Amino acid sequence: MQTVACPPLSRLAPTLLALVAVACRPDLPIPEVRPGLTTPPGGITFAFEPEAPVTAAPRVLRVHVAAEPALDEARLFLVRGEVRDSHLRQIEQDDVSKALAARFVPSRTWRQDDGSVVLAPTVPLDPGEAYAVASGEPRASLSFVVEPAEAAPLLVRAWPPVEAPGAGLFGLYCGEVTLPEVAFEATLAPDGPLGAFGRGVAPAGAGGACLRFVGRGLAPPDGGPWVPPPVVWLPGLPWPLRLDPRPFGGVDGDVGEEIEAPLDQGTLECTAFEVPFGPGCVEVEDDRLLGRAPEAALLWGIAGEGLDVVMTTGKNERFVLKGLPAGKDITLDVTTIDVRGRERRLQFSATTLTPMPHVVLNEVMANPLGPEPDQEWVELYNDGVVEAALGELVISDIGGATALPEVTLPPGRFAVVVNETFVPDAEIDVPPAEDAIVVRVPALGKSGLGNGGEIVRLLDMRGRILSRFPAIPKPKAGQSVVRRSPDAPDGVSDSFQLAPPTPGAANTSSFP
């Protein structure tokens, strides 16, 4: 077996010295250059940033590669899985097969002043999976395995959106652990702008589990997009934080624009039942606000009254904010940031209503495996803090309306509305959960629920729509349509999906 050839340290820049020294220390696993490959005089050197053995590489990393003569960065790739000599010949000859190209990991490469090349994956690597750095000129490869997921927390980038053109120099990275207050500076790579890191969407704002980056001044006019540091250490935490490596900034002609450029996040015209909420509108209820966002894509940070909410909205998207005290005067700090990193910060004050029930359509089985319409059902859930009287509600679909009987639905409980002819048969269809409230009606709809994914609504006696399921592609037999969570808003496609049926119980997240 051949080992990595380590060139004299005097020929390397100080920034790479430590990395090469780590890769060549005898107490660490030695990266392997595959047998039979041509190694130029002086050798080729691979080193991880941050330091790590090839048996437990970080999910987010940069690989520093040095060679003599100079490495061809256009023929340097990160590949998922094994790399063989035949693959390296394809890269060397610029004749890469579709099968090999499909295994390339999205990455950025750049050359440093000392002639070495940095390879930076722009997506987090999969825990426990094998990868290889493949160089076509000179021909060499380094195989490594990624650390397990629990080795270090990954902060996922919440903003800006991946698809946003002209994204500015503001990035937000969020996880599940509350972070300490921090303030430090760092530079995006390669040759990107200097910026400051701190906790939260804005100083003293929402986002206690988030780390923000704010670029200073103007973006360099001839660069980007840039990647953040692969890892940061924060005081008081026993482990480093990996930062989502997706690049941002410096595209579509918006480089060089001042961060404090005129702000236009758009403003909604609120209805009679709504009040302004930052650039959007909300309807104030008891323990929640029912909101609408403006046309511009926005990052929101909402703090106060026990809330610490970070969310994103698209054009005219609806949202729900829960957890407020009912029947109280409330004040919230509302920060919104657009895709160019420009910030608006306002206070919102209102008086919430007294506690009320919130009955939602949570799951619909319109296409059972058993006979129709006998085995069809609609699941309701009381997402409020007080009991609900179902006798005041109506279920309607394209074929007709069904008035519900006088049944009380306690908070946090499920009701499964079925036809009078419904007979549970566990050998055919999933029966209602044992603690579910089964509500029998003469008929669901005029002649049963439609199998084509039609709209289903829950209304009060005045005809006001309380909850709504959208028209979606026809589910397969035995599949139900589910709301991802009881507070997922109507009118948002991501709120609903096809999934295995769970009548009278919490919904599952996917269908095999």
Side-chain angles (χ1 to χ4, degrees):
M1 180 183 77
Q2 293 177 298
T3 60
V4 167
C6 293
L9 298 184
S10 59
R11 284 184 275 176
L12 297 175
T15 53
L16 191 58
L17 264 172
L19 296 168
V20 174
V22 168
C24 298
R25 272 170 33 198
D27 58 332
L28 289 179
I30 301 298
E32 176 186 357
V33 176
R34 298 184 61 83
L37 301 181
T38 301
T39 302
I44 182 167
T45 306
F46 301 89
F48 291 145
E49 178 192 355
E51 301 174 4
V54 292
T55 53
R59 295 189 63 196
V60 181
L61 52 69
R62 296 175 186 172
V63 184
H64 293 246
V65 187
E68 294 182 2
L71 185 83
D72 184 353
E73 61 185 285
R75 293 184 173 92
L76 184 67
F77 298 94
L78 181 63
V79 183
R80 182 185 298 273
E82 182 183 12
V83 169
R84 299 177 181 174
D85 297 351
S86 59
H87 298 138
L88 295 179
R89 283 195 295 271
Q90 292 179 34
I91 296 173
E92 180 187 34
Q93 298 167 8
D94 295 326
D95 186 21
V96 176
S97 67
K98 291 183 179 180
L100 178 58
R103 294 199 284 131
F104 286 173
V105 178
S107 304
R108 285 220 65 187
T109 58
W110 63 89
R111 188 174 297 278
Q112 302 197 114
D113 293 340
D114 62 357
S116 65
V117 174
V118 180
L119 172 69
T122 55
V123 293
L125 304 184
D126 292 332
E129 293 296 317
Y131 293 84
V133 181
S135 170
E137 187 177 332
R139 283 197 291 132
S141 68
L142 168 72
S143 298
F144 63 90
V145 177
V146 178
E147 66 189 356
E150 63 272 11
L154 173 68
L155 297 189
V156 177
R157 197 180 85 191
W159 199 255
V162 175
E163 68 279 3
L169 297 179
F170 175 93
L172 189 73
Y173 303 85
C174 297
E176 299 178 355
V177 178
T178 300
L179 304 179
E181 289 287 355
V182 293
F184 61 95
E185 293 189 339
T187 300
L188 301 181
D191 300 322
L194 177 70
F197 277 94
R199 188 182 77 168
V201 175
C210 300
L211 194 65
R212 72 179 180 278
F213 172 85
V214 181
R216 297 190 182 279
L218 299 179
D222 57 351
W226 301 281
V227 292
V231 63
V232 295
W233 284 90
L234 301 185
L237 297 183
W239 18 248
L241 298 173
R242 315 290 191 205
L243 295 187
D244 190 326
R246 290 178 293 173
F248 64 92
V251 292
D252 273 16
D254 285 314
V255 294
E257 181 178 21
E258 293 187 16
I259 296 175
E260 287 77 20
L263 177 66
D264 180 17
Q265 296 183 354
T267 302
L268 284 180
E269 182 176 343
C270 299
T271 68
F273 298 102
E274 296 175 326
V275 293
F277 186 78
C281 299
V282 294
E283 184 175 348
V284 181
E285 293 196 342
D286 54 346
D287 66 338
R288 67 195 66 191
L289 305 177
L290 309 181
R292 289 191 300 128
E295 290 193 3
L298 292 175
L299 169 72
W300 299 70
I302 302 158
E305 308 297 341
L307 296 185
D308 183 1
V309 175
V310 175
M311 66 180 187
T312 61
T313 57
K315 181 178 180 180
N316 300 130
E317 190 169 332
R318 295 184 178 272
F319 58 89
V320 177
L321 292 174
K322 285 183 60 178
L324 296 170
K328 301 282 188 179
D329 294 333
I330 62 169
T331 299
L332 300 175
D333 180 272
V334 181
T335 301
T336 50
I337 296 176
D338 68 8
V339 295
R340 295 183 184 177
R342 296 170 298 185
E343 174 187 317
R344 173 188 288 176
R345 192 167 184 177
L346 299 169
Q347 275 202 334
F348 170 80
S349 297
T351 302
T352 56
L353 304 179
T354 56
M356 56 192 292
H358 292 275
V359 181
V360 297
L361 292 165
N362 200 52
E363 187 172 355
V364 174
M365 170 56 76
N367 191 13
L369 295 172
E372 299 182 44
D374 301 352
Q375 302 305 103
E376 297 172 350
W377 48 264
V378 172
E379 179 191 82
L380 306 177
Y381 179 74
N382 186 354
D383 190 36
V385 295
V386 296
E387 63 184 23
L390 298 187
E392 301 173 359
L393 307 179
V394 173
I395 295 175
S396 73
D397 72 346
I398 196 170
T402 301
L404 299 182
E406 294 293 339
V407 174
T408 297
L409 182 59
R413 293 287 302 277
F414 295 92
V416 182
V417 183
V418 300
N419 291 281
E420 288 182 343
T421 54
F422 177 82
V423 178
D425 188 343
E427 294 185 357
I428 300 177
D429 285 301
V430 178
E434 291 184 2
D435 60 346
I437 298 172
V438 177
V439 179
R440 294 184 178 271
V441 296
L444 278 170
K446 184 176 181 180
S447 56
L449 302 173
N451 288 350
E454 290 88 351
I455 293 174
V456 180
R457 297 184 177 94
L458 180 69
L459 304 93
D460 61 18
M461 288 301 183
R462 297 172 297 174
R464 180 190 178 198
I465 298 175
L466 304 179
S467 185
R468 180 171 62 90
F469 260 47
I472 64 172
K474 178 180 179 180
K476 298 178 182 178
Q479 236 179 357
S480 62
V481 183
V482 305
R483 192 181 295 266
R484 290 184 181 270
S485 64
D487 60 353
D490 293 338
V492 179
S493 59
D494 287 346
S495 293
F496 305 92
Q497 65 177 18
L498 302 177
T502 55
N507 296 335
T508 54
S509 60
S510 62
F511 195 82

